[in-house]
Amino acid sequence: MTLRVLSLYEGFFAGGARILHSDVVAGLHAGGEQSHAVLSLSAQAHRDATVQFAHDDPRYRRLAAAGVEITALGGTAGADPMHPSSFRELDLHRAADAVAQADVVLSLKEQPLGLLLALRAHGMMPSVPVAACLHRSDPTHSGPALGWLREAAETGLLTATISCARSTDEAYAQHLPFGLDRRVVPNGIDIDVFRPNADDVASAALRASLGIPLDAPVVLLAARFDAMKDPGLFLDAAARHAAARPDAHYVLCGAGMTQDNAGFASLMDAATSADRVHALGIRSDMAALYRIADIVALTSAFGEASPLCLLEGAASGATPVTTDVGDAARSVEGFGLVTPRDPDAIAAAWEAVLHDRAGYREAALAARPSLSRGRMVDEYRLAIQSLAERRRLAA
């Protein structure tokens, strides 16, 4: 019998966790052994100084095209998670119906657990295994949702956690009861999408459209505008690197990475060589952008688990240069560099990569098979089957 799986999303908006989970859902749904559906707690999001509508989101469109049923409640996702008391009676009834049709429920991060706690408080929570899919290495930055996770685990509402990195599992273990089923499924990516350049004409056209010369070195930061990502540190490093590298260009893309965002604009005003800094905002052509990059940078201060941008960039031939956050250092071992959170050190690492570009590129491309999403999807399949079997035995 086909297993029915429901994933709870706080909303559809740009971010690595949504990219990864949607990849898992689409892959498992296509396999035929499991039938997946998604319940989004919101129809739009106001995050990272950007309003994002669910139906415009690439993850939403991909899942819909794959035949995954998507139901969206009427809320707006913001910087703070939706409190259990904020859900309308109609929302609770729709959610209860969706949960009742599932054999297993997956919560994308801990924030959607507030909805399940609200269902239980109203006597509307069906008996179904629930797994929280965790994607942080700093639980305390999830606000009240950490308390909801702890309450759900301590009261038996939560059956298991599935973490995307060892650093995530270790960080959350301190806030969870002993004996809870905890699993780690490391991230993977679609190496058929993220691949080295095979079309010089397309890459040349993309560079031209951005105002980047054909032979100019490119450093790319793929991240949303958030203190966690520390775009200010990236720009500081870019200023130092640009002073010694008059041919280099620096690309930033992600929610809020535009001059329309006053916070980002103030950082840009302080940056030097602004004519060589390209702020692109949310992009739908990330695979093409990675292919024109020599370096994929990560300057995060906290919170990362296993950043997808490092894997996607490496699979495309770019060299990851990252700060030591979460599992980032472990993820790029053998084909990337890890730096302290210092702009001079970061700029020096970038220059070291450019000095031996061919060698670093060869190492990144050699790592491609180990980055594949196939292993990740298989491990999620087994985890879901195990949770469903537990429910069957309990019955």
Side-chain angles (χ1 to χ4, degrees), residues 108-170:
L108 173 52
K109 306 175 79 169
E110 58 268 46
Q111 287 80 357
L113 293 175
L115 172 64
L116 302 187
L117 291 174
L119 290 177
R120 188 179 64 184
H122 287 78
M124 301 168 65
M125 179 63 196
S127 177
V128 58
V130 176
C133 302
L134 304 176
H135 297 270
R136 289 177 174 268
S137 62
D138 62 332
T140 59
H141 281 84
S142 61
L146 177 59
W148 304 339
L149 175 71
R150 185 185 299 113
E151 179 183 348
E154 291 176 345
T155 58
L157 176 63
L158 183 70
T159 310
T161 60
I162 304 175
S163 296
C164 71
R166 275 183 272 177
S167 58
T168 299
D169 180 61
E170 292 166 0

Side-chain angles (χ1 to χ4, degrees), residues 3-9 12 17-39 59-60 62-70 104-108 133 135 188 373 376-378 380-381 384:
L3 283 179
R4 301 165 301 173
V5 185
L6 176 69
S7 284
L8 305 179
Y9 284 41
F12 282 92
R18 254 143 291 276
I19 293 172
L20 181 135
H21 195 89
S22 299
D23 204 19
V24 169
V25 169
L28 291 175
H29 189 74
E33 297 176 12
Q34 299 177 6
S35 175
H36 283 253
V38 170
L39 174 65
R59 275 64 58 180
Y60 183 103
R62 182 189 178 192
L63 291 173
V68 175
E69 181 181 351
I70 305 172
V104 175
V105 172
L106 303 179
S107 174
L108 173 52
C133 302
H135 297 270
R373 67 192 280 273
M376 174 184 69
V377 172
D378 285 342
Y380 263 96
R381 177 184 296 109
I384 291 168

Side-chain angles (χ1 to χ4, degrees), residues 41-58:
L41 277 58
S42 62
Q44 63 182 12
H46 189 187
R47 294 172 57 92
D48 310 314
T50 307
V51 176
Q52 303 172 59
F53 297 97
H55 55 76
D56 292 332
D57 185 81

